[in-house]
Amino acid sequence: MSFLKPQTHIEKGDIVILYLSVNSMHAIEAVPTILNKKGETIPHIFQTPYGSLKVESIIGVKYGSRVELSKGWAHVLQPNPELWTQTLPHRTQIIYTPDISMILHQLEVRPGAVVVESGTGSGSLSHFFLRALKPTGHLHTFDFHDLRATQARDEFRKHGLESFVTVYHRDVCNLGFTSELDGRADAVFLDLPAPDLAVPHAFKALKLSGGRFCSFSPCIEQSQRCINALSKLGFNEICSMEVLQQENVVKTRTVPVIDLEFLKQPKSSSSEATKTPKELKKYLTSSNPQVLPGHTGFLTFATLPPNIAKT
Ligand SMILES: C[S@@+](CC[C@H](N)C(=O)[O-])C[C@H]1O[C@@H](n2cnc3c(N)ncnc32)[C@H](O)[C@@H]1O
């Protein structure tokens, strides 16, 4: 139940983030035993570069505590969508926090919202939708890959989120979303190779009172086709953007003060005094790094205007 509400102590069956460092975190299930490959029940021992953890020993421990490993220590944290995205089992490519924050903001996902998503994939984005729309909203998430849909459903149940989400095994490009969703969605989100084919179905599912649409595509050609499909159906406020993180590097630099007298000297003058600037000053500077983090995808947003006729 560790995703449902804040908890003070680890309960049996919780998903716990074992935090070794900012670049090394693991999601583990707080159960005392597991099955090995032969189907035998064995003690649940989790191996890390700092030695092993007997998982039974963390049940009942306070979240945030430091726990001993056989050759070091780690912290046990309650999971949230940000930590889950960094530790989840990858069944597909996933969407990460910088893009997700823009998606949640632009789609105005809030408690009570009805959100339709396809594909479910590894459920990275779904966990953020669920946190934002609880406790009165609902996520309807679709994937045409049977195993992925089943695994996502099991994961949501393990995380205590099953009453806020319905997982459908369905090809949304060919079959659309289910007809019970027609006109009910506050937001539709697509992460599909051919989003343009699902745009008419998103049109059907969206509410007429300003329903919001978003599609994530790694390639600009997919975005272009999606934008054409959106404008043909009368969506407005169509806008495509890319979220690029840019760090500002703050450093103290020593800079020579420009000596105007020195600049006035004839070039031929060789006196030592005129060769070196007289004064150096320290400045706090800010600059951008030489390398920017790579491209992830283009986000295309649109609104279904309230006065549009749905036939
Ligand atoms: C890149 S993954 C989605 C990842 C997800 N956004 C996340 O953050 O974990 C794309 C998913 O779309 C599914 N998919 C592709 N075409 C589909 C279709 N026509 N209908 C339903 N699902 C589809 C794939 O099976 C895959 O699981």
Coordinates of all heavy atoms in Angstrom, one line a residue, residues 62-131:
K62 N 11.0 2.5 10.5 CA 10.5 3.8 10.1 C 11.0 4.2 8.7 O 12.2 4.1 8.5 CB 10.9 4.8 11.2 CG 10.0 6.0 11.3 CD 10.3 6.8 12.5 CE 9.3 8.0 12.5 NZ 9.6 8.9 13.5
Y63 N 10.1 4.7 7.9 CA 10.5 5.2 6.6 C 11.5 6.3 6.8 O 11.3 7.1 7.7 CB 9.3 5.7 5.7 CG 8.7 4.6 4.9 CD1 7.4 4.2 5.2 CD2 9.3 3.9 3.9 CE1 6.7 3.2 4.5 CE2 8.7 2.9 3.2 CZ 7.4 2.6 3.5 OH 6.8 1.6 2.7
G64 N 12.6 6.4 6.0 CA 13.6 7.4 6.1 C 14.8 6.9 7.0 O 15.8 7.6 7.0
S65 N 14.6 5.8 7.6 CA 15.7 5.3 8.5 C 16.9 4.8 7.7 O 16.8 4.4 6.5 CB 15.3 4.1 9.3 OG 14.1 4.4 10.0
R66 N 18.1 4.8 8.4 CA 19.3 4.2 7.8 C 19.3 2.8 8.2 O 19.0 2.4 9.4 CB 20.5 5.0 8.4 CG 21.8 4.4 8.0 CD 22.9 5.3 8.5 NE 24.0 4.6 8.9 CZ 25.2 5.0 8.9 NH1 25.5 6.3 8.7 NH2 26.2 4.2 9.2
V67 N 19.5 1.9 7.3 CA 19.6 0.4 7.6 C 20.9 -0.1 7.3 O 21.6 0.4 6.4 CB 18.5 -0.4 6.9 CG1 17.1 0.0 7.3 CG2 18.6 -0.2 5.3
E68 N 21.3 -1.1 8.0 CA 22.7 -1.7 7.9 C 22.7 -2.8 6.7 O 21.8 -3.6 6.7 CB 23.2 -2.4 9.2 CG 23.3 -1.4 10.3 CD 24.2 -0.2 10.0 OE1 25.3 -0.4 9.5 OE2 23.9 0.9 10.4
L69 N 23.7 -2.7 5.9 CA 23.9 -3.7 4.9 C 25.1 -4.5 5.4 O 25.8 -4.0 6.3 CB 24.2 -3.1 3.5 CG 23.2 -2.1 3.0 CD1 23.6 -1.5 1.7 CD2 21.8 -2.8 2.8
S70 N 25.4 -5.7 4.8 CA 26.6 -6.4 5.4 C 27.9 -5.7 5.2 O 28.8 -5.9 6.0 CB 26.6 -7.8 4.8 OG 26.8 -7.7 3.4
K71 N 28.0 -4.8 4.2 CA 29.3 -4.0 4.1 C 29.1 -2.5 4.1 O 29.9 -1.8 3.6 CB 30.0 -4.5 2.8 CG 30.6 -5.9 3.0 CD 31.5 -6.2 1.8 CE 30.7 -7.0 0.8 NZ 31.3 -7.2 -0.5
G72 N 28.0 -2.1 4.6 CA 27.7 -0.6 4.5 C 26.3 -0.3 5.0 O 25.8 -1.0 5.9
W73 N 25.7 0.7 4.4 CA 24.4 1.1 4.9 C 23.6 1.8 3.8 O 24.2 2.2 2.7 CB 24.5 2.0 6.1 CG 25.4 3.2 6.0 CD1 26.7 3.2 6.4 CD2 25.2 4.4 5.3 NE1 27.3 4.4 6.1 CE2 26.4 5.2 5.4 CE3 24.1 5.0 4.7 CZ2 26.6 6.5 4.9 CZ3 24.3 6.3 4.2 CH2 25.5 7.0 4.3
A74 N 22.3 1.9 3.9 CA 21.5 2.5 2.9 C 20.3 3.2 3.7 O 20.2 3.0 4.9 CB 20.9 1.5 2.0
H75 N 19.5 3.9 2.9 CA 18.2 4.5 3.6 C 17.0 3.8 2.9 O 17.0 3.5 1.7 CB 18.2 6.0 3.4 CG 19.1 6.7 4.3 ND1 20.4 7.0 4.0 CD2 18.9 7.2 5.6 CE1 20.9 7.6 5.1 NE2 20.0 7.8 6.0
V76 N 16.0 3.7 3.7 CA 14.7 3.1 3.2 C 13.7 4.2 3.1 O 13.4 4.9 4.0 CB 14.2 1.9 4.1 CG1 15.0 0.6 3.8 CG2 14.2 2.3 5.6
L77 N 13.2 4.4 1.8 CA 12.3 5.5 1.6 C 10.9 5.0 1.1 O 10.9 4.0 0.4 CB 12.9 6.4 0.5 CG 14.3 7.0 0.7 CD1 14.7 7.8 -0.5 CD2 14.4 7.8 2.0
Q78 N 9.9 5.8 1.4 CA 8.6 5.5 0.9 C 8.6 5.9 -0.6 O 9.0 7.0 -0.9 CB 7.5 6.2 1.6 CG 6.1 5.8 1.1 CD 5.0 6.2 2.0 OE1 5.1 6.9 3.0 NE2 3.8 5.8 1.6
P79 N 8.1 5.0 -1.5 CA 8.1 5.4 -2.9 C 7.1 6.5 -3.3 O 6.1 6.7 -2.6 CB 7.7 4.1 -3.6 CG 7.0 3.3 -2.7 CD 7.5 3.7 -1.3
N80 N 7.5 7.3 -4.3 CA 6.5 8.2 -4.9 C 6.8 8.1 -6.4 O 7.7 7.4 -6.8 CB 6.8 9.7 -4.3 CG 8.2 10.1 -4.6 OD1 8.9 9.7 -5.5 ND2 8.7 11.1 -3.8
P81 N 6.0 8.8 -7.2 CA 6.1 8.6 -8.7 C 7.5 9.0 -9.2 O 8.1 8.3 -10.0 CB 5.1 9.5 -9.3 CG 4.0 9.6 -8.2 CD 4.7 9.5 -6.9
E82 N 8.2 10.0 -8.6 CA 9.5 10.4 -9.0 C 10.5 9.3 -8.8 O 11.4 9.0 -9.6 CB 10.0 11.7 -8.3 CG 9.3 12.9 -8.7 CD 7.9 13.1 -8.0 OE1 7.5 12.3 -7.2 OE2 7.2 14.1 -8.4
L83 N 10.5 8.7 -7.6 CA 11.4 7.6 -7.2 C 11.1 6.3 -8.0 O 12.0 5.6 -8.5 CB 11.4 7.3 -5.7 CG 11.9 8.4 -4.8 CD1 11.6 8.1 -3.4 CD2 13.4 8.7 -5.0
W84 N 9.8 6.1 -8.2 CA 9.4 4.9 -9.0 C 9.9 4.9 -10.4 O 10.4 4.0 -11.0 CB 7.8 4.7 -8.9 CG 7.3 3.5 -9.7 CD1 6.5 3.5 -10.8 CD2 7.6 2.2 -9.3 NE1 6.3 2.2 -11.2 CE2 6.9 1.4 -10.3 CE3 8.4 1.5 -8.4 CZ2 7.0 0.0 -10.3 CZ3 8.4 0.1 -8.4 CH2 7.7 -0.6 -9.3
T85 N 9.8 6.1 -11.1 CA 10.3 6.3 -12.4 C 11.7 6.0 -12.6 O 12.2 5.5 -13.6 CB 9.9 7.7 -12.9 OG1 8.6 7.8 -13.1 CG2 10.7 8.2 -14.1
Q86 N 12.5 6.2 -11.5 CA 13.9 5.9 -11.5 C 14.3 4.5 -11.2 O 15.4 4.0 -11.4 CB 14.7 6.8 -10.6 CG 14.6 8.3 -11.0 CD 15.3 9.1 -10.0 OE1 16.5 9.0 -9.8 NE2 14.6 9.9 -9.3
T87 N 13.3 3.7 -10.7 CA 13.6 2.3 -10.2 C 12.7 1.2 -10.9 O 13.0 0.1 -10.6 CB 13.5 2.2 -8.7 OG1 12.2 2.7 -8.4 CG2 14.5 3.0 -8.0
L88 N 11.7 1.6 -11.6 CA 10.7 0.6 -12.1 C 11.3 -0.3 -13.1 O 12.3 0.0 -13.7 CB 9.5 1.4 -12.7 CG 9.7 2.3 -13.9 CD1 9.9 1.6 -15.2 CD2 8.5 3.2 -14.1
P89 N 10.7 -1.5 -13.2 CA 11.2 -2.5 -14.2 C 10.8 -2.0 -15.6 O 9.6 -1.8 -15.8 CB 10.5 -3.8 -13.8 CG 9.4 -3.4 -12.8 CD 9.7 -2.1 -12.3
H90 N 11.7 -1.8 -16.5 CA 11.4 -1.3 -17.8 C 10.9 -2.4 -18.7 O 11.6 -3.3 -19.0 CB 12.7 -0.7 -18.4 CG 13.0 0.7 -18.0 ND1 13.3 1.7 -18.8 CD2 13.1 1.2 -16.7 CE1 13.6 2.8 -18.1 NE2 13.4 2.5 -16.8
R91 N 9.6 -2.2 -19.1 CA 9.1 -3.1 -20.1 C 9.1 -2.4 -21.5 O 8.9 -3.1 -22.5 CB 7.7 -3.5 -19.7 CG 7.6 -4.2 -18.3 CD 6.2 -4.6 -17.9 NE 5.4 -3.6 -17.5 CZ 5.2 -3.2 -16.2 NH1 5.9 -3.9 -15.3 NH2 4.5 -2.2 -15.8
T92 N 9.2 -1.1 -21.5 CA 9.2 -0.3 -22.7 C 10.1 0.9 -22.4 O 10.6 1.1 -21.3 CB 7.8 0.3 -22.9 OG1 7.4 1.1 -21.8 CG2 6.8 -0.8 -23.2
Q93 N 10.2 1.8 -23.4 CA 10.8 3.1 -23.2 C 9.8 3.8 -22.3 O 8.6 3.6 -22.3 CB 10.8 3.9 -24.5 CG 11.7 3.4 -25.5 CD 13.1 4.1 -25.4 OE1 13.5 4.5 -24.3 NE2 13.8 4.2 -26.5
I94 N 10.3 4.7 -21.4 CA 9.4 5.4 -20.5 C 9.5 6.9 -20.6 O 10.5 7.4 -21.2 CB 9.6 5.0 -19.0 CG1 11.0 5.4 -18.5 CG2 9.4 3.5 -18.8 CD1 11.1 5.4 -17.0
I95 N 8.5 7.6 -20.1 CA 8.6 9.1 -20.0 C 9.2 9.5 -18.7 O 8.8 8.9 -17.7 CB 7.2 9.7 -20.3 CG1 6.7 9.2 -21.7 CG2 7.3 11.3 -20.3 CD1 5.4 9.9 -22.1
Y96 N 10.1 10.5 -18.7 CA 10.7 10.9 -17.4 C 10.2 12.2 -16.9 O 9.4 12.9 -17.6 CB 12.3 11.0 -17.7 CG 12.9 9.7 -17.9 CD1 13.1 9.2 -19.2 CD2 13.3 8.9 -16.8 CE1 13.6 7.9 -19.4 CE2 13.9 7.7 -17.0 CZ 14.0 7.2 -18.3 OH 14.6 5.9 -18.4
T97 N 10.6 12.5 -15.7 CA 10.0 13.6 -14.9 C 10.0 15.0 -15.6 O 8.9 15.7 -15.5 CB 10.7 13.7 -13.5 OG1 10.8 12.4 -13.0 CG2 9.9 14.5 -12.5
P98 N 11.0 15.4 -16.3 CA 10.9 16.8 -16.9 C 9.7 16.9 -17.9 O 9.0 17.8 -17.9 CB 12.3 17.0 -17.6 CG 13.2 16.0 -16.9 CD 12.4 14.8 -16.5
D99 N 9.6 15.9 -18.8 CA 8.5 15.9 -19.7 C 7.1 15.7 -19.0 O 6.1 16.4 -19.3 CB 8.6 14.8 -20.8 CG 9.7 15.1 -21.8 OD1 9.7 16.2 -22.3 OD2 10.5 14.2 -22.0
I100 N 7.2 14.8 -17.9 CA 5.9 14.6 -17.2 C 5.4 15.8 -16.5 O 4.2 16.1 -16.5 CB 6.2 13.4 -16.2 CG1 6.4 12.1 -16.9 CG2 5.0 13.3 -15.2 CD1 6.7 10.9 -16.0
S101 N 6.3 16.6 -16.0 CA 5.8 17.8 -15.2 C 5.1 18.8 -16.2 O 4.1 19.3 -15.8 CB 7.0 18.5 -14.5 OG 8.0 18.7 -15.4
M102 N 5.6 18.9 -17.4 CA 5.0 19.7 -18.4 C 3.6 19.1 -18.9 O 2.6 19.8 -19.0 CB 5.9 19.9 -19.7 CG 5.3 20.8 -20.7 SD 5.0 22.5 -20.2 CE 6.6 23.2 -20.2
I103 N 3.6 17.8 -19.0 CA 2.3 17.1 -19.4 C 1.2 17.4 -18.3 O 0.1 17.7 -18.6 CB 2.6 15.6 -19.6 CG1 3.5 15.3 -20.8 CG2 1.3 14.8 -19.8 CD1 4.1 13.9 -20.8
L104 N 1.6 17.2 -17.1 CA 0.6 17.3 -16.0 C 0.1 18.8 -15.9 O -1.1 19.0 -15.7 CB 1.2 17.0 -14.6 CG 1.6 15.5 -14.4 CD1 2.2 15.3 -13.0 CD2 0.3 14.6 -14.5
H105 N 1.0 19.7 -16.1 CA 0.7 21.1 -16.1 C -0.3 21.5 -17.2 O -1.3 22.1 -17.0 CB 2.0 21.9 -16.1 CG 1.8 23.4 -16.3 ND1 1.1 24.2 -15.5 CD2 2.2 24.1 -17.4 CE1 1.1 25.4 -16.0 NE2 1.7 25.4 -17.1
Q106 N 0.1 21.1 -18.4 CA -0.6 21.5 -19.6 C -2.0 20.8 -19.7 O -2.9 21.4 -20.2 CB 0.2 21.2 -20.9 CG 1.4 22.1 -21.1 CD 1.0 23.5 -21.6 OE1 -0.1 23.7 -22.2 NE2 1.9 24.4 -21.5
L107 N -2.0 19.6 -19.2 CA -3.3 18.8 -19.2 C -4.2 19.2 -18.0 O -5.3 18.7 -17.9 CB -3.1 17.3 -19.3 CG -2.5 16.8 -20.5 CD1 -2.4 15.2 -20.5 CD2 -3.2 17.2 -21.8
E108 N -3.7 20.0 -17.1 CA -4.4 20.5 -15.9 C -5.0 19.3 -15.2 O -6.2 19.3 -14.8 CB -5.5 21.5 -16.4 CG -4.9 22.7 -17.0 CD -6.0 23.6 -17.6 OE1 -7.2 23.4 -17.3 OE2 -5.6 24.5 -18.4
V109 N -4.2 18.2 -15.0 CA -4.7 17.1 -14.2 C -4.8 17.4 -12.7 O -3.8 17.9 -12.2 CB -3.8 15.9 -14.4 CG1 -4.3 14.6 -13.7 CG2 -3.5 15.6 -15.9
R110 N -6.0 17.2 -12.2 CA -6.2 17.6 -10.8 C -7.2 16.6 -10.2 O -7.7 15.7 -10.9 CB -6.8 19.0 -10.8 CG -8.1 19.1 -11.6 CD -8.6 20.5 -11.9 NE -9.7 20.5 -12.7 CZ -9.7 20.3 -14.0 NH1 -8.6 20.1 -14.7 NH2 -10.8 20.3 -14.8
P111 N -7.3 16.6 -8.8 CA -8.2 15.6 -8.2 C -9.6 15.7 -8.9 O -10.1 16.8 -9.1 CB -8.3 16.1 -6.7 CG -7.0 16.8 -6.5 CD -6.7 17.5 -7.8
G112 N -10.1 14.5 -9.2 CA -11.4 14.4 -9.8 C -11.4 14.3 -11.4 O -12.4 14.0 -12.0
A113 N -10.2 14.5 -11.9 CA -10.1 14.4 -13.4 C -10.2 13.0 -13.9 O -9.8 12.0 -13.3 CB -8.7 15.0 -13.9
V114 N -10.8 12.9 -15.1 CA -10.9 11.6 -15.8 C -9.9 11.7 -17.0 O -9.9 12.6 -17.8 CB -12.3 11.4 -16.4 CG1 -12.3 10.1 -17.3 CG2 -13.3 11.3 -15.3
V115 N -8.9 10.8 -16.9 CA -7.8 10.9 -17.9 C -7.7 9.6 -18.7 O -7.9 8.5 -18.1 CB -6.4 11.1 -17.2 CG1 -5.2 11.1 -18.1 CG2 -6.4 12.4 -16.4
V116 N -7.6 9.7 -20.0 CA -7.4 8.5 -20.9 C -6.0 8.5 -21.4 O -5.5 9.5 -21.9 CB -8.5 8.6 -22.0 CG1 -8.3 7.5 -23.0 CG2 -9.9 8.5 -21.4
E117 N -5.3 7.3 -21.3 CA -3.9 7.2 -21.7 C -3.7 6.0 -22.6 O -4.3 5.0 -22.3 CB -3.1 7.1 -20.4 CG -1.6 6.8 -20.6 CD -0.9 6.3 -19.4 OE1 -1.4 5.6 -18.6 OE2 0.3 6.7 -19.3
S118 N -2.8 6.2 -23.6 CA -2.4 5.0 -24.3 C -1.0 5.3 -25.0 O -0.8 6.4 -25.4 CB -3.4 4.7 -25.5 OG -3.0 3.5 -26.1
G119 N 0.0 4.4 -25.0 CA -0.1 3.1 -24.3 C 0.4 3.2 -22.9 O 1.1 4.1 -22.5
T120 N 0.0 2.2 -22.1 CA 0.4 2.1 -20.7 C 1.9 1.9 -20.6 O 2.5 2.5 -19.7 CB -0.4 1.0 -20.1 OG1 -1.7 1.0 -20.5 CG2 -0.3 1.0 -18.6
G121 N 2.4 1.1 -21.4 CA 3.9 0.8 -21.4 C 4.3 0.3 -20.0 O 3.8 -0.7 -19.5
S122 N 5.3 1.0 -19.4 CA 5.8 0.5 -18.1 C 5.1 1.2 -16.9 O 5.5 1.1 -15.8 CB 7.3 0.8 -18.0 OG 8.0 0.2 -19.1
G123 N 4.1 2.1 -17.2 CA 3.3 2.7 -16.2 C 4.1 3.9 -15.5 O 3.6 4.3 -14.4
S124 N 5.1 4.4 -16.1 CA 5.9 5.5 -15.5 C 5.0 6.7 -15.4 O 4.7 7.2 -14.3 CB 7.1 5.8 -16.3 OG 7.7 7.0 -15.9
L125 N 4.4 7.2 -16.5 CA 3.6 8.4 -16.5 C 2.3 8.1 -15.7 O 1.8 9.0 -15.0 CB 3.2 8.8 -17.9 CG 2.3 9.9 -18.1 CD1 2.8 11.2 -17.5 CD2 2.0 10.2 -19.6
S126 N 1.7 6.8 -15.8 CA 0.5 6.5 -15.2 C 0.5 6.8 -13.7 O -0.5 7.3 -13.1 CB 0.1 5.0 -15.3 OG 0.4 4.6 -16.6
H127 N 1.7 6.5 -13.0 CA 1.8 6.8 -11.6 C 1.6 8.3 -11.2 O 1.1 8.6 -10.2 CB 3.1 6.2 -11.0 CG 3.0 4.8 -10.8 ND1 3.1 3.8 -11.8 CD2 2.8 4.1 -9.6 CE1 3.0 2.6 -11.2 NE2 2.8 2.7 -9.9
F128 N 2.1 9.1 -12.1 CA 2.0 10.6 -11.9 C 0.5 11.0 -12.1 O 0.0 11.8 -11.3 CB 2.9 11.4 -12.8 CG 4.4 11.3 -12.5 CD1 5.1 10.2 -12.9 CD2 4.9 12.3 -11.7 CE1 6.5 10.2 -12.5 CE2 6.3 12.3 -11.4 CZ 7.0 11.2 -11.8
F129 N -0.1 10.5 -13.2 CA -1.5 10.8 -13.4 C -2.3 10.4 -12.1 O -3.2 11.2 -11.7 CB -2.1 10.0 -14.6 CG -1.7 10.6 -15.9 CD1 -1.5 9.8 -17.0 CD2 -1.7 12.0 -16.1 CE1 -1.2 10.4 -18.3 CE2 -1.4 12.6 -17.4 CZ -1.2 11.7 -18.4
L130 N -2.0 9.2 -11.6 CA -2.8 8.7 -10.5 C -2.7 9.6 -9.3 O -3.6 9.9 -8.6 CB -2.4 7.2 -10.2 CG -3.0 6.2 -11.2 CD1 -2.3 4.9 -11.1 CD2 -4.5 6.1 -11.0
R131 N -1.4 10.0 -9.0 CA -1.2 10.9 -7.8 C -2.0 12.2 -8.0 O -2.6 12.7 -7.0 CB 0.3 11.2 -7.6 CG 0.5 12.1 -6.4 CD 1.9 12.3 -6.1 NE 2.6 13.0 -7.2 CZ 3.9 13.2 -7.2 NH1 4.7 12.8 -6.2 NH2 4.5 13.8 -8.2

